[in-house]
Amino acid sequence: MAFNYPNGHSFNQKAFQKPIVSYGASQSNRGMSLEHDINEANKYYLAMGQAVIHKKPTPVQIVNVSYPARAAAKITEAYFRQASTTDYNGIYKGYYIDFDAKETTHKRSFPLNNIHEHQVKHLKAIVKQNGLAFMIIRFTVLQETYVVWAKLIFGYWDNRETGRKSIPYEEIAKFGALVEQQYNPTTPYLQAVDKLLIECKKEGDNLI
């Protein structure tokens, strides 16, 4: 099926597919992507009454449909109605949360070209309204996943023209919170969010 952007340019699906990560045999989420892990965690949080978090649907306008069989319809061409914002939003402990999930094969840094300008603009708007805005970043080679406040992203993003084009791994590990892998859910990212919230309250910093 052909997808196109609002300006008519074709969408390269392969370029935006998230890599499937193969972990060691001891890892319970072997062969699963970050998006899959987060979706499973969200199902767990909802079932346990801990949070209500969902993946945002991408608005699509259908243009052409073929009917290979009388009882079957196949979409052959569609357009994204608008640029997507972030992947997830919801409610947790009375906070509105909004975040995106990113994976990188880089070991020592997270490239800023993994982020889109409209996503940064959206996250800034969330912060302005006192929502919890963050990113979940997975270093696939290192098998490490971190939650970082969006404000850390903003600092590097706003200076990308004259400064670094990536965020150092050391900065993410220092100011972010490592998501400890466990059995169920395999990627309990809200535990990492709790760690960041505790640090903010302890230090009296407005890092959210």
PDB file of all heavy atoms in Angstrom, residues 174-205:
ATOM      1  N   LYS A 174      23.573   9.983  32.839  1.00  0.00           N
ATOM      2  CA  LYS A 174      23.710  10.787  34.053  1.00  0.00           C
ATOM      3  C   LYS A 174      22.382  11.421  34.461  1.00  0.00           C
ATOM      4  O   LYS A 174      21.989  11.368  35.637  1.00  0.00           O
ATOM      5  CB  LYS A 174      24.764  11.878  33.840  1.00  0.00           C
ATOM      6  CG  LYS A 174      24.950  12.788  35.051  1.00  0.00           C
ATOM      7  CD  LYS A 174      26.021  13.843  34.775  1.00  0.00           C
ATOM      8  CE  LYS A 174      26.201  14.772  35.977  1.00  0.00           C
ATOM      9  NZ  LYS A 174      27.246  15.806  35.712  1.00  0.00           N
ATOM     10  N   PHE A 175      21.684  12.026  33.509  1.00  0.00           N
ATOM     11  CA  PHE A 175      20.478  12.777  33.836  1.00  0.00           C
ATOM     12  C   PHE A 175      19.190  11.999  33.587  1.00  0.00           C
ATOM     13  O   PHE A 175      18.114  12.423  34.009  1.00  0.00           O
ATOM     14  CB  PHE A 175      20.445  14.086  33.033  1.00  0.00           C
ATOM     15  CG  PHE A 175      21.551  15.031  33.392  1.00  0.00           C
ATOM     16  CD1 PHE A 175      22.632  15.209  32.550  1.00  0.00           C
ATOM     17  CD2 PHE A 175      21.512  15.723  34.588  1.00  0.00           C
ATOM     18  CE1 PHE A 175      23.662  16.090  32.878  1.00  0.00           C
ATOM     19  CE2 PHE A 175      22.543  16.603  34.942  1.00  0.00           C
ATOM     20  CZ  PHE A 175      23.625  16.784  34.079  1.00  0.00           C
ATOM     21  N   GLY A 176      19.304  10.869  32.913  1.00  0.00           N
ATOM     22  CA  GLY A 176      18.141  10.031  32.699  1.00  0.00           C
ATOM     23  C   GLY A 176      18.050   8.954  33.761  1.00  0.00           C
ATOM     24  O   GLY A 176      18.859   8.881  34.686  1.00  0.00           O
ATOM     25  N   ALA A 177      17.046   8.116  33.621  1.00  0.00           N
ATOM     26  CA  ALA A 177      16.861   6.996  34.553  1.00  0.00           C
ATOM     27  C   ALA A 177      16.837   5.698  33.753  1.00  0.00           C
ATOM     28  O   ALA A 177      16.071   5.566  32.792  1.00  0.00           O
ATOM     29  CB  ALA A 177      15.572   7.151  35.345  1.00  0.00           C
ATOM     30  N   LEU A 178      17.683   4.759  34.144  1.00  0.00           N
ATOM     31  CA  LEU A 178      17.760   3.469  33.470  1.00  0.00           C
ATOM     32  C   LEU A 178      16.505   2.657  33.751  1.00  0.00           C
ATOM     33  O   LEU A 178      16.059   2.566  34.896  1.00  0.00           O
ATOM     34  CB  LEU A 178      18.995   2.705  33.931  1.00  0.00           C
ATOM     35  CG  LEU A 178      19.207   1.311  33.331  1.00  0.00           C
ATOM     36  CD1 LEU A 178      19.516   1.409  31.846  1.00  0.00           C
ATOM     37  CD2 LEU A 178      20.337   0.595  34.073  1.00  0.00           C
ATOM     38  N   VAL A 179      15.939   2.063  32.709  1.00  0.00           N
ATOM     39  CA  VAL A 179      14.785   1.176  32.865  1.00  0.00           C
ATOM     40  C   VAL A 179      15.308  -0.223  33.150  1.00  0.00           C
ATOM     41  O   VAL A 179      15.932  -0.838  32.288  1.00  0.00           O
ATOM     42  CB  VAL A 179      13.900   1.176  31.606  1.00  0.00           C
ATOM     43  CG1 VAL A 179      12.702   0.241  31.796  1.00  0.00           C
ATOM     44  CG2 VAL A 179      13.427   2.591  31.277  1.00  0.00           C
ATOM     45  N   GLU A 180      15.080  -0.697  34.351  1.00  0.00           N
ATOM     46  CA  GLU A 180      15.564  -2.028  34.729  1.00  0.00           C
ATOM     47  C   GLU A 180      14.657  -3.095  34.126  1.00  0.00           C
ATOM     48  O   GLU A 180      13.454  -3.125  34.377  1.00  0.00           O
ATOM     49  CB  GLU A 180      15.575  -2.165  36.251  1.00  0.00           C
ATOM     50  CG  GLU A 180      16.450  -1.134  36.965  1.00  0.00           C
ATOM     51  CD  GLU A 180      17.937  -1.398  36.793  1.00  0.00           C
ATOM     52  OE1 GLU A 180      18.292  -2.488  36.274  1.00  0.00           O
ATOM     53  OE2 GLU A 180      18.727  -0.525  37.191  1.00  0.00           O
ATOM     54  N   GLN A 181      15.246  -3.993  33.342  1.00  0.00           N
ATOM     55  CA  GLN A 181      14.476  -5.065  32.717  1.00  0.00           C
ATOM     56  C   GLN A 181      13.958  -6.032  33.777  1.00  0.00           C
ATOM     57  O   GLN A 181      14.657  -6.332  34.754  1.00  0.00           O
ATOM     58  CB  GLN A 181      15.350  -5.821  31.711  1.00  0.00           C
ATOM     59  CG  GLN A 181      15.809  -4.978  30.522  1.00  0.00           C
ATOM     60  CD  GLN A 181      14.668  -4.656  29.584  1.00  0.00           C
ATOM     61  OE1 GLN A 181      13.979  -5.555  29.107  1.00  0.00           O
ATOM     62  NE2 GLN A 181      14.459  -3.379  29.297  1.00  0.00           N
ATOM     63  N   GLN A 182      12.740  -6.496  33.602  1.00  0.00           N
ATOM     64  CA  GLN A 182      12.180  -7.481  34.512  1.00  0.00           C
ATOM     65  C   GLN A 182      11.253  -8.414  33.739  1.00  0.00           C
ATOM     66  O   GLN A 182      11.186  -8.342  32.512  1.00  0.00           O
ATOM     67  CB  GLN A 182      11.435  -6.795  35.663  1.00  0.00           C
ATOM     68  CG  GLN A 182      10.250  -5.956  35.224  1.00  0.00           C
ATOM     69  CD  GLN A 182       9.575  -5.255  36.415  1.00  0.00           C
ATOM     70  OE1 GLN A 182      10.252  -4.793  37.330  1.00  0.00           O
ATOM     71  NE2 GLN A 182       8.257  -5.190  36.379  1.00  0.00           N
ATOM     72  N   TYR A 183      10.562  -9.280  34.459  1.00  0.00           N
ATOM     73  CA  TYR A 183       9.759 -10.312  33.785  1.00  0.00           C
ATOM     74  C   TYR A 183       8.457  -9.753  33.223  1.00  0.00           C
ATOM     75  O   TYR A 183       8.143  -9.948  32.059  1.00  0.00           O
ATOM     76  CB  TYR A 183       9.463 -11.461  34.749  1.00  0.00           C
ATOM     77  CG  TYR A 183       8.594 -12.546  34.136  1.00  0.00           C
ATOM     78  CD1 TYR A 183       9.105 -13.403  33.153  1.00  0.00           C
ATOM     79  CD2 TYR A 183       7.267 -12.692  34.520  1.00  0.00           C
ATOM     80  CE1 TYR A 183       8.316 -14.376  32.567  1.00  0.00           C
ATOM     81  CE2 TYR A 183       6.463 -13.675  33.951  1.00  0.00           C
ATOM     82  CZ  TYR A 183       6.990 -14.502  32.975  1.00  0.00           C
ATOM     83  OH  TYR A 183       6.203 -15.459  32.401  1.00  0.00           O
ATOM     84  N   ASN A 184       7.678  -9.054  34.042  1.00  0.00           N
ATOM     85  CA  ASN A 184       6.382  -8.549  33.570  1.00  0.00           C
ATOM     86  C   ASN A 184       6.027  -7.262  34.293  1.00  0.00           C
ATOM     87  O   ASN A 184       5.841  -7.267  35.510  1.00  0.00           O
ATOM     88  CB  ASN A 184       5.288  -9.588  33.815  1.00  0.00           C
ATOM     89  CG  ASN A 184       3.948  -9.190  33.211  1.00  0.00           C
ATOM     90  OD1 ASN A 184       3.910  -8.448  32.224  1.00  0.00           O
ATOM     91  ND2 ASN A 184       2.866  -9.662  33.791  1.00  0.00           N
ATOM     92  N   PRO A 185       5.992  -6.128  33.554  1.00  0.00           N
ATOM     93  CA  PRO A 185       6.333  -6.007  32.136  1.00  0.00           C
ATOM     94  C   PRO A 185       7.842  -6.026  31.946  1.00  0.00           C
ATOM     95  O   PRO A 185       8.589  -5.735  32.887  1.00  0.00           O
ATOM     96  CB  PRO A 185       5.738  -4.648  31.750  1.00  0.00           C
ATOM     97  CG  PRO A 185       5.817  -3.857  33.014  1.00  0.00           C
ATOM     98  CD  PRO A 185       5.549  -4.839  34.126  1.00  0.00           C
ATOM     99  N   THR A 186       8.290  -6.345  30.760  1.00  0.00           N
ATOM    100  CA  THR A 186       9.724  -6.442  30.511  1.00  0.00           C
ATOM    101  C   THR A 186      10.411  -5.090  30.551  1.00  0.00           C
ATOM    102  O   THR A 186      11.592  -5.007  30.868  1.00  0.00           O
ATOM    103  CB  THR A 186       9.994  -7.095  29.144  1.00  0.00           C
ATOM    104  OG1 THR A 186       9.388  -6.302  28.108  1.00  0.00           O
ATOM    105  CG2 THR A 186       9.436  -8.506  29.092  1.00  0.00           C
ATOM    106  N   THR A 187       9.663  -4.030  30.218  1.00  0.00           N
ATOM    107  CA  THR A 187      10.232  -2.681  30.185  1.00  0.00           C
ATOM    108  C   THR A 187       9.375  -1.758  31.047  1.00  0.00           C
ATOM    109  O   THR A 187       8.538  -1.001  30.545  1.00  0.00           O
ATOM    110  CB  THR A 187      10.309  -2.160  28.732  1.00  0.00           C
ATOM    111  OG1 THR A 187      11.019  -3.109  27.923  1.00  0.00           O
ATOM    112  CG2 THR A 187      11.033  -0.819  28.655  1.00  0.00           C
ATOM    113  N   PRO A 188       9.545  -1.806  32.373  1.00  0.00           N
ATOM    114  CA  PRO A 188       8.723  -1.025  33.296  1.00  0.00           C
ATOM    115  C   PRO A 188       9.176   0.439  33.349  1.00  0.00           C
ATOM    116  O   PRO A 188       9.720   0.906  34.357  1.00  0.00           O
ATOM    117  CB  PRO A 188       8.943  -1.739  34.625  1.00  0.00           C
ATOM    118  CG  PRO A 188      10.335  -2.267  34.525  1.00  0.00           C
ATOM    119  CD  PRO A 188      10.536  -2.653  33.080  1.00  0.00           C
ATOM    120  N   TYR A 189       8.904   1.168  32.300  1.00  0.00           N
ATOM    121  CA  TYR A 189       9.443   2.521  32.170  1.00  0.00           C
ATOM    122  C   TYR A 189       8.875   3.494  33.192  1.00  0.00           C
ATOM    123  O   TYR A 189       9.522   4.504  33.516  1.00  0.00           O
ATOM    124  CB  TYR A 189       9.224   3.043  30.747  1.00  0.00           C
ATOM    125  CG  TYR A 189       7.774   3.281  30.369  1.00  0.00           C
ATOM    126  CD1 TYR A 189       7.172   4.517  30.584  1.00  0.00           C
ATOM    127  CD2 TYR A 189       7.012   2.269  29.801  1.00  0.00           C
ATOM    128  CE1 TYR A 189       5.848   4.741  30.236  1.00  0.00           C
ATOM    129  CE2 TYR A 189       5.687   2.482  29.453  1.00  0.00           C
ATOM    130  CZ  TYR A 189       5.119   3.723  29.667  1.00  0.00           C
ATOM    131  OH  TYR A 189       3.793   3.939  29.335  1.00  0.00           O
ATOM    132  N   LEU A 190       7.692   3.220  33.741  1.00  0.00           N
ATOM    133  CA  LEU A 190       7.136   4.139  34.736  1.00  0.00           C
ATOM    134  C   LEU A 190       7.935   4.115  36.042  1.00  0.00           C
ATOM    135  O   LEU A 190       7.919   5.087  36.797  1.00  0.00           O
ATOM    136  CB  LEU A 190       5.666   3.809  35.004  1.00  0.00           C
ATOM    137  CG  LEU A 190       4.689   4.190  33.877  1.00  0.00           C
ATOM    138  CD1 LEU A 190       3.256   3.861  34.278  1.00  0.00           C
ATOM    139  CD2 LEU A 190       4.810   5.666  33.504  1.00  0.00           C
ATOM    140  N   GLN A 191       8.634   3.030  36.296  1.00  0.00           N
ATOM    141  CA  GLN A 191       9.526   2.996  37.456  1.00  0.00           C
ATOM    142  C   GLN A 191      10.647   4.011  37.279  1.00  0.00           C
ATOM    143  O   GLN A 191      11.075   4.666  38.236  1.00  0.00           O
ATOM    144  CB  GLN A 191      10.106   1.591  37.647  1.00  0.00           C
ATOM    145  CG  GLN A 191       9.086   0.550  38.075  1.00  0.00           C
ATOM    146  CD  GLN A 191       9.708  -0.822  38.292  1.00  0.00           C
ATOM    147  OE1 GLN A 191      10.931  -0.966  38.306  1.00  0.00           O
ATOM    148  NE2 GLN A 191       8.873  -1.833  38.471  1.00  0.00           N
ATOM    149  N   ALA A 192      11.129   4.141  36.036  1.00  0.00           N
ATOM    150  CA  ALA A 192      12.171   5.124  35.740  1.00  0.00           C
ATOM    151  C   ALA A 192      11.611   6.543  35.842  1.00  0.00           C
ATOM    152  O   ALA A 192      12.297   7.458  36.320  1.00  0.00           O
ATOM    153  CB  ALA A 192      12.745   4.885  34.341  1.00  0.00           C
ATOM    154  N   VAL A 193      10.368   6.734  35.429  1.00  0.00           N
ATOM    155  CA  VAL A 193       9.725   8.042  35.580  1.00  0.00           C
ATOM    156  C   VAL A 193       9.627   8.400  37.060  1.00  0.00           C
ATOM    157  O   VAL A 193       9.886   9.542  37.460  1.00  0.00           O
ATOM    158  CB  VAL A 193       8.322   8.047  34.928  1.00  0.00           C
ATOM    159  CG1 VAL A 193       7.575   9.339  35.257  1.00  0.00           C
ATOM    160  CG2 VAL A 193       8.431   7.875  33.417  1.00  0.00           C
ATOM    161  N   ASP A 194       9.268   7.427  37.881  1.00  0.00           N
ATOM    162  CA  ASP A 194       9.191   7.661  39.328  1.00  0.00           C
ATOM    163  C   ASP A 194      10.545   8.102  39.890  1.00  0.00           C
ATOM    164  O   ASP A 194      10.623   8.996  40.746  1.00  0.00           O
ATOM    165  CB  ASP A 194       8.740   6.389  40.045  1.00  0.00           C
ATOM    166  CG  ASP A 194       7.252   6.103  39.862  1.00  0.00           C
ATOM    167  OD1 ASP A 194       6.507   7.050  39.539  1.00  0.00           O
ATOM    168  OD2 ASP A 194       6.852   4.938  40.031  1.00  0.00           O
ATOM    169  N   LYS A 195      11.615   7.476  39.432  1.00  0.00           N
ATOM    170  CA  LYS A 195      12.955   7.841  39.892  1.00  0.00           C
ATOM    171  C   LYS A 195      13.263   9.297  39.569  1.00  0.00           C
ATOM    172  O   LYS A 195      13.804  10.037  40.398  1.00  0.00           O
ATOM    173  CB  LYS A 195      14.012   6.932  39.251  1.00  0.00           C
ATOM    174  CG  LYS A 195      13.969   5.485  39.693  1.00  0.00           C
ATOM    175  CD  LYS A 195      15.012   4.669  38.952  1.00  0.00           C
ATOM    176  CE  LYS A 195      14.934   3.203  39.304  1.00  0.00           C
ATOM    177  NZ  LYS A 195      15.910   2.388  38.527  1.00  0.00           N
ATOM    178  N   LEU A 196      12.928   9.718  38.366  1.00  0.00           N
ATOM    179  CA  LEU A 196      13.183  11.101  37.957  1.00  0.00           C
ATOM    180  C   LEU A 196      12.348  12.076  38.776  1.00  0.00           C
ATOM    181  O   LEU A 196      12.818  13.151  39.165  1.00  0.00           O
ATOM    182  CB  LEU A 196      12.891  11.269  36.466  1.00  0.00           C
ATOM    183  CG  LEU A 196      13.834  10.538  35.503  1.00  0.00           C
ATOM    184  CD1 LEU A 196      13.392  10.774  34.059  1.00  0.00           C
ATOM    185  CD2 LEU A 196      15.269  11.002  35.692  1.00  0.00           C
ATOM    186  N   LEU A 197      11.106  11.711  39.057  1.00  0.00           N
ATOM    187  CA  LEU A 197      10.242  12.575  39.856  1.00  0.00           C
ATOM    188  C   LEU A 197      10.773  12.728  41.279  1.00  0.00           C
ATOM    189  O   LEU A 197      10.766  13.826  41.855  1.00  0.00           O
ATOM    190  CB  LEU A 197       8.825  12.013  39.889  1.00  0.00           C
ATOM    191  CG  LEU A 197       7.997  12.162  38.614  1.00  0.00           C
ATOM    192  CD1 LEU A 197       6.693  11.376  38.728  1.00  0.00           C
ATOM    193  CD2 LEU A 197       7.701  13.631  38.320  1.00  0.00           C
ATOM    194  N   ILE A 198      11.248  11.627  41.841  1.00  0.00           N
ATOM    195  CA  ILE A 198      11.814  11.664  43.193  1.00  0.00           C
ATOM    196  C   ILE A 198      13.053  12.554  43.231  1.00  0.00           C
ATOM    197  O   ILE A 198      13.247  13.354  44.158  1.00  0.00           O
ATOM    198  CB  ILE A 198      12.157  10.243  43.675  1.00  0.00           C
ATOM    199  CG1 ILE A 198      10.871   9.444  43.910  1.00  0.00           C
ATOM    200  CG2 ILE A 198      12.993  10.287  44.949  1.00  0.00           C
ATOM    201  CD1 ILE A 198      11.102   7.985  44.204  1.00  0.00           C
ATOM    202  N   GLU A 199      13.910  12.441  42.228  1.00  0.00           N
ATOM    203  CA  GLU A 199      15.118  13.259  42.166  1.00  0.00           C
ATOM    204  C   GLU A 199      14.772  14.734  42.060  1.00  0.00           C
ATOM    205  O   GLU A 199      15.413  15.585  42.696  1.00  0.00           O
ATOM    206  CB  GLU A 199      15.985  12.825  40.976  1.00  0.00           C
ATOM    207  CG  GLU A 199      16.649  11.473  41.147  1.00  0.00           C
ATOM    208  CD  GLU A 199      17.456  11.074  39.938  1.00  0.00           C
ATOM    209  OE1 GLU A 199      17.584  11.914  39.018  1.00  0.00           O
ATOM    210  OE2 GLU A 199      17.947   9.927  39.894  1.00  0.00           O
ATOM    211  N   CYS A 200      13.755  15.049  41.279  1.00  0.00           N
ATOM    212  CA  CYS A 200      13.336  16.445  41.126  1.00  0.00           C
ATOM    213  C   CYS A 200      12.853  17.020  42.453  1.00  0.00           C
ATOM    214  O   CYS A 200      13.198  18.139  42.829  1.00  0.00           O
ATOM    215  CB  CYS A 200      12.230  16.557  40.079  1.00  0.00           C
ATOM    216  SG  CYS A 200      12.788  16.326  38.384  1.00  0.00           S
ATOM    217  N   LYS A 201      12.038  16.258  43.163  1.00  0.00           N
ATOM    218  CA  LYS A 201      11.509  16.722  44.445  1.00  0.00           C
ATOM    219  C   LYS A 201      12.619  16.833  45.490  1.00  0.00           C
ATOM    220  O   LYS A 201      12.639  17.748  46.307  1.00  0.00           O
ATOM    221  CB  LYS A 201      10.422  15.771  44.927  1.00  0.00           C
ATOM    222  CG  LYS A 201       9.168  15.776  44.054  1.00  0.00           C
ATOM    223  CD  LYS A 201       8.151  14.757  44.524  1.00  0.00           C
ATOM    224  CE  LYS A 201       6.926  14.769  43.624  1.00  0.00           C
ATOM    225  NZ  LYS A 201       5.928  13.744  44.051  1.00  0.00           N
ATOM    226  N   LYS A 202      13.553  15.897  45.451  1.00  0.00           N
ATOM    227  CA  LYS A 202      14.645  15.870  46.433  1.00  0.00           C
ATOM    228  C   LYS A 202      15.572  17.067  46.250  1.00  0.00           C
ATOM    229  O   LYS A 202      16.008  17.697  47.209  1.00  0.00           O
ATOM    230  CB  LYS A 202      15.431  14.570  46.296  1.00  0.00           C
ATOM    231  CG  LYS A 202      16.541  14.402  47.341  1.00  0.00           C
ATOM    232  CD  LYS A 202      17.335  13.148  47.060  1.00  0.00           C
ATOM    233  CE  LYS A 202      16.465  11.906  47.113  1.00  0.00           C
ATOM    234  NZ  LYS A 202      17.273  10.660  46.910  1.00  0.00           N
ATOM    235  N   GLU A 203      15.881  17.383  44.997  1.00  0.00           N
ATOM    236  CA  GLU A 203      16.809  18.458  44.706  1.00  0.00           C
ATOM    237  C   GLU A 203      16.128  19.808  44.522  1.00  0.00           C
ATOM    238  O   GLU A 203      16.799  20.836  44.398  1.00  0.00           O
ATOM    239  CB  GLU A 203      17.621  18.115  43.453  1.00  0.00           C
ATOM    240  CG  GLU A 203      18.455  16.844  43.605  1.00  0.00           C
ATOM    241  CD  GLU A 203      19.205  16.491  42.350  1.00  0.00           C
ATOM    242  OE1 GLU A 203      19.201  17.333  41.425  1.00  0.00           O
ATOM    243  OE2 GLU A 203      19.789  15.385  42.288  1.00  0.00           O
ATOM    244  N   GLY A 204      14.792  19.788  44.469  1.00  0.00           N
ATOM    245  CA  GLY A 204      14.072  21.032  44.294  1.00  0.00           C
ATOM    246  C   GLY A 204      14.248  21.639  42.927  1.00  0.00           C
ATOM    247  O   GLY A 204      14.068  22.839  42.726  1.00  0.00           O
ATOM    248  N   ASP A 205      14.609  20.821  41.950  1.00  0.00           N
ATOM    249  CA  ASP A 205      14.839  21.306  40.589  1.00  0.00           C
ATOM    250  C   ASP A 205      13.582  21.160  39.756  1.00  0.00           C
ATOM    251  O   ASP A 205      12.830  20.195  39.889  1.00  0.00           O
ATOM    252  CB  ASP A 205      15.975  20.516  39.920  1.00  0.00           C
ATOM    253  CG  ASP A 205      17.318  20.806  40.533  1.00  0.00           C
ATOM    254  OD1 ASP A 205      17.452  21.884  41.142  1.00  0.00           O
ATOM    255  OD2 ASP A 205      18.229  19.972  40.411  1.00  0.00           O
TER     256      ASP A 205
END
